[in-house]
Amino acid sequence: MIQSTVAELFEKEIKHIDIEVKGWVKSFRANRFIALSDGSTIKTIQCVVDFETMDETLLKQITTGAALQIQGNLVESQGKGQTLEIQVSNIAVLGAADPDLVSKTILQPKRHSLEFLREQAHLRPRTNTFGAVMRLRSSLSFAIHQYFHQNGFNYMHAPIITGSDAEGAGEMFRITTLDPKNPPLTQNGDVDYSKDFFGKETNLTVSGQLEAETYAMALGKVYTFGPTFRAENSNTSRHLAEFWMIEPEVAFMDLEGNMDLAENLLKSVIDYILEHNLEDLTFLAQRLEQEEKSKPQNERSEMGLIEKLKFVADNNFKRVSYTEAIDILRNCKPNKKKKFKFLINQWGVDLQSEHERYLVEKHFKCPVILFDYPANIKAFYMRLNEDGKTVRAMDILFPGIGEIVGGSQREERLEVLKEKMAALGIPEDELWWYLDLRTYGTAVHSGFGLGFERLVMFATGMGNIRDVIPYPRTPHNAEF
Amino acid sequence: MIQSTVAELFEKEIKHIDIEVKGWVKSFRANRFIALSDGSTIKTIQCVVDFETMDETLLKQITTGAALQIQGNLVESQGKGQTLEIQVSNIAVLGAADPDLVSKTILQPKRHSLEFLREQAHLRPRTNTFGAVMRLRSSLSFAIHQYFHQNGFNYMHAPIITGSDAEGAGEMFRITTLDPKNPPLTQNGDVDYSKDFFGKETNLTVSGQLEAETYAMALGKVYTFGPTFRAENSNTSRHLAEFWMIEPEVAFMDLEGNMDLAENLLKSVIDYILEHNLEDLTFLAQRLEQEEKSKPQNERSEMGLIEKLKFVADNNFKRVSYTEAIDILRNCKPNKKKKFKFLINQWGVDLQSEHERYLVEKHFKCPVILFDYPANIKAFYMRLNEDGKTVRAMDILFPGIGEIVGGSQREERLEVLKEKMAALGIPEDELWWYLDLRTYGTAVHSGFGLGFERLVMFATGMGNIRDVIPYPRTPHNAEF
């Protein structure tokens, strides 16, 4: 008797052997055909029982959601839609699932809204959609680690709890063990953080970049892959308060190398899932096609999910300077006809997502890398160009997703960096260690941040970021 | 001209070609021999310059820590201690490093205390020791991901911010965006968390296990690898407030399978670094040997670092029940001679690290798996044995490290779990979703937590957990 997962049964396809599988009942038809799933693949294995010889109480317990141990002979299937089936010799019910209770949950086999599925986020990975999404999420994670590993990068864990709010990338969550009601106060009447756990005010990190830079300037090529946080009260389908980010940082690499790295990474991981996760992708492509049918014709995407992934993997991203982009936008129809909410009338303004979408989805119809942004709409650490007004920043925009990557070449010149910090009121003693990198053997270096959930959205076709992470954290929601 | 990292030069060993490398000066001897490091390997590449034809101002800038771009011809080395060298044709100083400033830092090439290195944690990865430790940390991470990936596990990101303090594994950090000085209060005068970001009290996770269970009961085999937190005021060499943990969770797996999985995983990742990181390990082994020389004879370890790793990879872990262990401890010399701080005189007491060390280092002299612990010293979710007094828990103890793995078979029976929670005062409505796993197709399942930093300590021979993570977080320390 060989114990096996469902995925292994289909991979090995060894027939006429006695096997044992364990899993959950997806459906039970005609008192005869059990579709059994164990989560190892989107496929179920058909288990054929002889109801005439079976104990009736046992038979009654074979209901959707029940956990079974099944033994039998693996044979070629006679039925349509599957290649293999198990001729069952023995069944044990490991855990029943009362149909009355099941009918109140998302386990009931019918269409449920994504909102209802979110309320039962602990059960939703048992559905076909979320099983596929979460297997893809896992596969994408591995593809990312493998890509970096094969290209000589060291994985680095940046700190989650941070004592510095230097980057100013967004509002932060405070971490404390002080008495919430009666915190200790200083003589001035301020909260006395010297009595807090870390002896100072601490927050959840918004980015591991600055710390990653310290490691790049020692190990050459590094990347982080960890959770990051924003305490922003934004309830959109693209924002989470807790999300995972990948941040490579490379010594001696300039902005062009940075764009090459980001483009190669994205193409490589998309190739990986096209090669390894085609069943899950096919299911999600069908799901998306169904969903699109309910949309008006002009809102439907021109490509299916798999087509879109192949397109990104096989075509060069369009590289466009901010200045060129502004020219395109200033002269485009929606701007002239005042269809944009924010009209583009001068160089220097920040782009809104309506502009990014226009460039990517209407004008270029492919992923776009925008670079050389105005200095004053970007972060202090970005390398100032010789023109004195733009910085060596780059953002990658994806169709349907918007910004998926944001990066830059870093300012490696100590004096220029100090001036920039002074102008923005960032105290040097907060970032003495960051400045040290420019004192001891400074060099050109670059990196970027890739929002992992946005990549999963793109790869799965899911439209809401809450549906690509196991337990989403958003304003007023930290369930489970 | 081929651009290359130092690691690639030594891997490919293609001689008599023109190459370009970029890195930092480790040393510069006799105005002629630059040892250049780029962090890709512990090795430096010797770059031979002809000082007679070189610009003198340039020559003066070639000092320890300076960043250089070097072009030249790669040839077989004539000197001792290296196989390759570069006959330099061109040097550019990318970033100087003022020797006066360098002399105040850990970059100065001499022995520094680990404490001093910690104060300059942003520069310490440039040292041989920390470069090696951090490359090993990265390699161990990849080995872990690869092991699970190859064995059909899905990687799952458990939430970092959590609304439940159910596990009770330790004191927690509170996360908040409320006004720290004047928090909103309810009518009863308590802090009104309904006005906080998540609308409730939230903390940093102490473990992703409960959430991982929900995914195991859907996808079969999953694991987490993420940061976890303890707000404990313990200033030991084995505790951090922020540390990374690996938590596999597997449906249909019992405690024996759990022990097998943990043992296989540990052996597999140790094999991986023995195969892929031998240079770094050899350096750290020599470092440890030096360090051991300063210890009294009886405190030195019997095996060198690499010997110890091979021993663990090649030998079975000893599996011992708690009851057997208590018998051994009750009758051992240090207990009888009252050398233990906590004497073992009855079944049921929790083991202290002195007892664990005795079992591992003196009695069995190999890794030990202790299992079947008394129920009342273990967590509520562990599977109660038929004896009604022990639970299907297991801890893995490593020489020099102590507990490296803690796990259990989980209580899959709804009624037993509810009784346990009631007895401990854990409200059911806090964990309704966890109980649901026992309502809808429950099944035997198991998992464990592996402390990643403890594994890195074991693999590198470093004695303090602060020295195996880039930026350690401990009481009163959240620098960088």
Side-chain angles (χ1 to χ4, degrees):
Chain A
M1 187 80 61
I2 294 169
Q3 298 213 11
S4 178
T5 64
V6 175
E8 286 162 357
L9 290 184
F10 285 105
E11 274 160 30
K12 297 182 186 157
E13 283 217 16
I14 306 169
K15 279 157 234 169
H16 306 293
I17 51 163
D18 284 337
I19 51 110
E20 179 183 294
V21 287
K22 290 169 182 166
W24 294 273
V25 177
K26 276 272 179 186
S27 67
F28 186 34
R29 278 188 304 119
N31 260 356
R32 192 165 166 77
F33 302 106
I34 303 168
L36 195 78
S37 162
D38 68 358
S40 60
T41 159
I42 197 160
K43 282 186 184 161
T44 55
I45 180 81
Q46 171 156 290
C47 307
V48 187
V49 298
D50 180 1
F51 62 90
E52 287 180 351
T53 63
M54 255 180 86
D55 180 70
E56 232 177 281
T57 14
L58 188 77
L59 212 57
K60 275 188 187 152
Q61 286 192 294
I62 304 176
T63 57
T64 299
L68 304 183
Q69 172 185 297
I70 284 183
Q71 298 175 332
N73 200 254
L74 188 67
V75 296
E76 204 140 340
S77 177
Q78 304 306 314
K80 273 189 193 170
Q82 62 264 328
T83 51
L84 292 174
E85 65 184 30
I86 297 172
Q87 297 286 354
V88 177
S89 56
N90 210 353
I91 290 191
V93 176
L94 304 174
D98 180 340
D100 284 347
L101 294 174
V102 166
S103 72
K104 287 166 198 146
T105 72
I106 60 165
L107 298 177
Q108 200 191 17
K110 64 168 196 177
R111 266 201 176 273
H112 304 287
S113 73
L114 291 172
E115 288 75 16
F116 186 38
L117 287 158
R118 259 170 241 151
E119 287 170 24
Q120 298 183 12
H122 63 307
L123 299 178
R124 67 180 181 170
R126 301 188 188 192
T127 65
N128 283 334
T129 299
F130 282 88
V133 168
M134 295 307 166
R135 278 187 298 270
L136 273 161
R137 185 179 167 103
S138 169
S139 206
L140 284 165
S141 296
F142 184 73
I144 289 166
H145 282 297
Q146 186 172 260
Y147 176 88
F148 285 120
H149 183 75
Q150 288 174 346
N151 286 283
F153 284 71
N154 281 293
Y155 181 34
M156 180 232 176
H157 290 122
I160 310 301
I161 298 171
T162 168
S164 62
D165 176 19
E167 211 206 334
E171 289 175 72
M172 297 174 100
F173 290 104
R174 202 167 63 252
I175 300 165
T176 180
T177 57
L178 292 179
D179 182 342
K181 210 170 131 185
N182 297 303
L185 300 178
T186 62
Q187 283 188 328
N188 301 333
D190 298 323
V191 173
D192 186 0
Y193 287 111
S194 74
K195 299 216 166 66
D196 209 345
F197 188 90
F198 293 108
K200 63 195 288 195
E201 198 178 337
T202 50
N203 296 291
L204 286 178
T205 184
V206 294
S207 159
Q209 177 203 315
L210 304 192
E211 290 88 357
E213 282 186 54
T214 67
Y215 267 59
M217 296 301 280
L219 304 180
K221 297 194 253 185
V222 301
Y223 72 105
T224 73
F225 189 163
T228 47
F229 306 85
R230 296 278 190 290
E232 274 159 27
N233 198 4
S234 49
N235 256 309
T236 83
S237 60
R238 300 194 306 156
H239 291 88
L240 290 170
E242 172 183 313
F243 57 101
W244 288 67
M245 192 146 65
I246 295 106
E247 299 185 277
E249 191 74 33
V250 182
F252 313 117
M253 186 175 77
D254 63 11
L255 188 69
E256 212 187 311
N258 205 19
M259 293 194 246
D260 292 342
L261 175 64
E263 185 170 340
N264 283 339
L265 168 68
L266 287 165
K267 287 176 169 176
S268 160
V269 300
I270 287 171
D271 272 335
Y272 184 93
I273 57 168
L274 282 169
E275 192 183 331
H276 292 88
N277 299 77
L278 204 53
E279 283 168 6
D280 285 327
L281 285 174
T282 304
F283 174 85
L284 290 170
Q286 285 160 357
R287 184 198 160 275
L288 193 62
E289 206 183 312
Q290 282 297 321
E291 205 187 62
E292 294 259 300
K293 281 183 188 160
S294 66
K295 288 184 183 172
Q297 189 76 42
N298 65 339
E299 284 179 27
R300 295 182 201 169
S301 41
E302 289 170 27
M303 288 188 238
L305 178 64
I306 292 176
E307 232 181 328
K308 203 173 59 176
L309 293 174
K310 283 187 177 158
F311 180 83
V312 168
D314 295 341
N315 289 282
N316 287 339
F317 296 5
K318 180 73 188 169
R319 301 185 185 191
V320 188
S321 75
Y322 167 89
T323 304
E324 290 171 77
I326 286 290
D327 277 347
I328 294 167
L329 289 167
R330 194 159 23 189
N331 297 314
C332 76
K333 253 192 199 166
N335 200 54
K336 292 194 161 170
K337 294 198 169 174
K338 308 202 170 170
K339 291 275 163 82
F340 283 150
K341 202 171 153 202
F342 297 92
L343 295 180
I344 299 285
N345 42 39
Q346 59 178 345
W347 191 94
V349 294
D350 206 355
L351 299 185
Q352 304 299 319
S353 78
E354 57 181 341
H355 311 127
E356 297 178 345
R357 293 195 69 153
Y358 176 81
L359 289 170
V360 172
E361 290 161 27
K362 302 291 175 193
H363 189 84
F364 291 110
K365 301 193 176 196
C366 73
V368 171
I369 311 185
L370 288 183
F371 62 93
D372 283 356
Y373 281 82
N376 57 4
I377 61 169
K378 288 288 181 181
F380 76 94
Y381 48 71
M382 298 189 180
R383 176 62 154 82
L384 195 64
N385 272 314
E386 309 313 319
D387 64 13
K389 60 177 194 171
T390 61
V391 286
R392 303 245 74 194
M394 65 114 177
D395 286 353
I396 301 186
L397 313 175
F398 260 31
I401 305 291
E403 184 189 325
I404 196 165
V405 160
S408 69
Q409 187 175 318
R410 318 306 187 186
E411 183 55 75
E412 86 281 13
R413 297 163 299 180
L414 183 63
E415 289 314 316
V416 180
L417 188 59
K418 278 186 176 175
E419 274 169 38
K420 199 77 165 282
M421 285 168 61
L424 292 167
I426 302 169
E428 285 186 21
D429 57 1
E430 274 272 309
L431 286 182
W432 62 275
W433 50 274
Y434 189 67
L435 291 169
D436 266 6
L437 300 182
R438 281 75 183 166
T439 304
Y440 304 103
T442 191
V444 162
H445 62 288
S446 303
F448 60 83
L450 163 63
F452 184 57
E453 279 73 21
R454 294 200 179 169
L455 175 62
V456 183
M457 286 175 77
F458 182 74
T460 58
M462 300 299 284
N464 193 314
I465 201 164
R466 293 169 176 82
D467 297 328
V468 297
I469 190 168
Y471 295 102
R473 287 354 190 178
T474 52
H476 279 259
N477 176 35
E479 282 307 306
F480 307 101
Chain B
M1 187 80 62
I2 295 169
Q3 298 213 13
S4 177
T5 65
V6 175
E8 286 163 357
L9 290 185
F10 285 105
E11 273 160 30
K12 296 181 187 157
E13 283 215 16
I14 306 168
K15 279 157 234 169
H16 306 292
I17 51 163
D18 283 338
I19 51 111
E20 178 183 294
V21 287
K22 290 169 183 166
W24 294 272
V25 177
K26 276 272 178 187
S27 67
F28 186 33
R29 279 188 304 117
N31 260 357
R32 194 165 162 74
F33 302 107
I34 302 168
L36 195 78
S37 162
D38 68 358
S40 61
T41 160
I42 196 160
K43 284 186 185 160
T44 54
I45 180 80
Q46 172 156 289
C47 306
V48 186
V49 299
D50 180 2
F51 62 90
E52 287 179 353
T53 63
M54 254 180 87
D55 179 68
E56 233 178 278
T57 14
L58 187 78
L59 210 58
K60 274 187 186 152
Q61 286 193 295
I62 303 175
T63 57
T64 299
L68 303 183
Q69 172 184 296
I70 284 183
Q71 298 175 333
N73 200 253
L74 188 67
V75 297
E76 203 140 338
S77 177
Q78 304 305 315
K80 274 189 190 169
Q82 61 263 330
T83 52
L84 291 174
E85 64 183 31
I86 297 172
Q87 297 287 355
V88 176
S89 56
N90 210 353
I91 290 191
V93 177
L94 304 174
D98 181 340
D100 284 347
L101 294 174
V102 165
S103 72
K104 286 166 198 147
T105 72
I106 60 166
L107 297 177
Q108 200 191 15
K110 63 168 198 176
R111 268 203 173 271
H112 304 287
S113 73
L114 291 172
E115 289 75 15
F116 185 38
L117 286 158
R118 256 170 245 152
E119 287 170 23
Q120 298 184 11
H122 62 309
L123 299 178
R124 65 179 184 172
R126 301 187 187 191
T127 65
N128 283 334
T129 298
F130 281 88
V133 167
M134 294 308 166
R135 277 188 297 270
L136 273 161
R137 185 179 167 104
S138 170
S139 207
L140 284 165
S141 295
F142 185 72
I144 289 166
H145 282 298
Q146 186 172 259
Y147 176 88
F148 284 121
H149 184 76
Q150 287 173 346
N151 286 281
F153 285 71
N154 280 294
Y155 180 34
M156 180 234 177
H157 290 122
I160 310 301
I161 298 172
T162 167
S164 61
D165 175 18
E167 211 205 333
E171 289 176 73
M172 297 173 101
F173 290 105
R174 202 166 62 252
I175 300 166
T176 180
T177 56
L178 292 179
D179 182 341
K181 210 169 131 184
N182 297 303
L185 300 179
T186 63
Q187 283 189 327
N188 301 333
D190 297 323
V191 173
D192 186 359
Y193 286 110
S194 75
K195 299 216 166 62
D196 209 345
F197 188 91
F198 293 108
K200 63 194 291 194
E201 198 179 338
T202 50
N203 297 290
L204 286 178
T205 185
V206 295
S207 158
Q209 178 204 314
L210 305 192
E211 289 89 355
E213 283 186 55
T214 66
Y215 268 58
M217 295 301 279
L219 304 179
K221 298 194 254 184
V222 300
Y223 72 106
T224 73
F225 189 164
T228 47
F229 306 86
R230 297 277 190 289
E232 274 159 28
N233 199 4
S234 48
N235 256 310
T236 83
S237 60
R238 299 193 306 156
H239 291 89
L240 290 169
E242 171 182 316
F243 55 101
W244 287 68
M245 193 147 64
I246 295 106
E247 298 185 278
E249 191 72 33
V250 182
F252 313 118
M253 185 175 78
D254 63 12
L255 188 70
E256 213 187 311
N258 206 19
M259 294 193 245
D260 292 342
L261 175 64
E263 185 170 340
N264 282 340
L265 168 67
L266 288 166
K267 287 176 169 177
S268 159
V269 300
I270 288 170
D271 272 336
Y272 184 91
I273 56 167
L274 283 169
E275 192 183 331
H276 293 86
N277 299 77
L278 205 53
E279 282 168 7
D280 284 327
L281 286 173
T282 304
F283 174 84
L284 290 170
Q286 285 159 357
R287 185 197 159 275
L288 193 62
E289 207 183 311
Q290 282 297 323
E291 205 188 63
E292 294 260 300
K293 281 183 188 159
S294 66
K295 287 184 184 171
Q297 189 77 44
N298 65 340
E299 283 180 26
R300 295 182 200 169
S301 42
E302 290 169 28
M303 287 189 240
L305 178 63
I306 292 176
E307 232 181 329
K308 203 173 59 175
L309 293 175
K310 283 187 178 157
F311 180 84
V312 168
D314 295 341
N315 288 282
N316 287 339
F317 296 3
K318 180 74 188 171
R319 301 186 184 191
V320 188
S321 75
Y322 167 89
T323 304
E324 290 170 77
I326 286 290
D327 278 347
I328 293 166
L329 289 167
R330 195 157 25 190
N331 297 314
C332 76
K333 255 193 198 165
N335 201 54
K336 290 196 161 166
K337 293 198 170 174
K338 306 201 170 171
K339 292 274 162 85
F340 281 150
K341 201 170 153 204
F342 297 93
L343 295 180
I344 299 285
N345 42 39
Q346 60 177 344
W347 190 95
V349 294
D350 207 354
L351 300 185
Q352 304 298 319
S353 76
E354 57 181 341
H355 310 127
E356 297 178 346
R357 294 194 70 152
Y358 176 82
L359 290 169
V360 172
E361 290 162 26
K362 302 292 175 192
H363 190 83
F364 291 111
K365 300 190 177 198
C366 73
V368 170
I369 310 184
L370 288 183
F371 62 92
D372 283 355
Y373 280 82
N376 56 5
I377 60 169
K378 287 288 182 183
F380 75 95
Y381 49 70
M382 297 188 179
R383 176 61 156 81
L384 194 64
N385 273 314
E386 309 313 318
D387 64 14
K389 60 177 192 169
T390 60
V391 286
R392 304 245 73 194
M394 65 114 178
D395 285 353
I396 301 186
L397 314 174
F398 260 30
I401 305 291
E403 185 188 324
I404 195 165
V405 160
S408 69
Q409 188 175 316
R410 318 306 186 187
E411 184 55 74
E412 87 280 13
R413 297 164 298 180
L414 183 63
E415 288 314 315
V416 181
L417 187 60
K418 278 186 175 175
E419 274 170 37
K420 200 78 165 283
M421 285 169 61
L424 291 167
I426 301 168
E428 286 185 20
D429 57 1
E430 275 272 312
L431 286 182
W432 62 274
W433 50 274
Y434 188 68
L435 291 168
D436 266 6
L437 301 182
R438 283 74 183 166
T439 304
Y440 304 103
T442 191
V444 162
H445 62 288
S446 303
F448 60 84
L450 163 62
F452 184 57
E453 279 73 21
R454 295 202 178 167
L455 175 62
V456 183
M457 285 176 77
F458 182 74
T460 59
M462 300 300 283
N464 193 315
I465 199 164
R466 292 169 176 82
D467 297 328
V468 298
I469 190 167
Y471 295 102
R473 283 2 187 172
T474 51
H476 279 259
N477 176 36
E479 283 305 307
F480 306 101

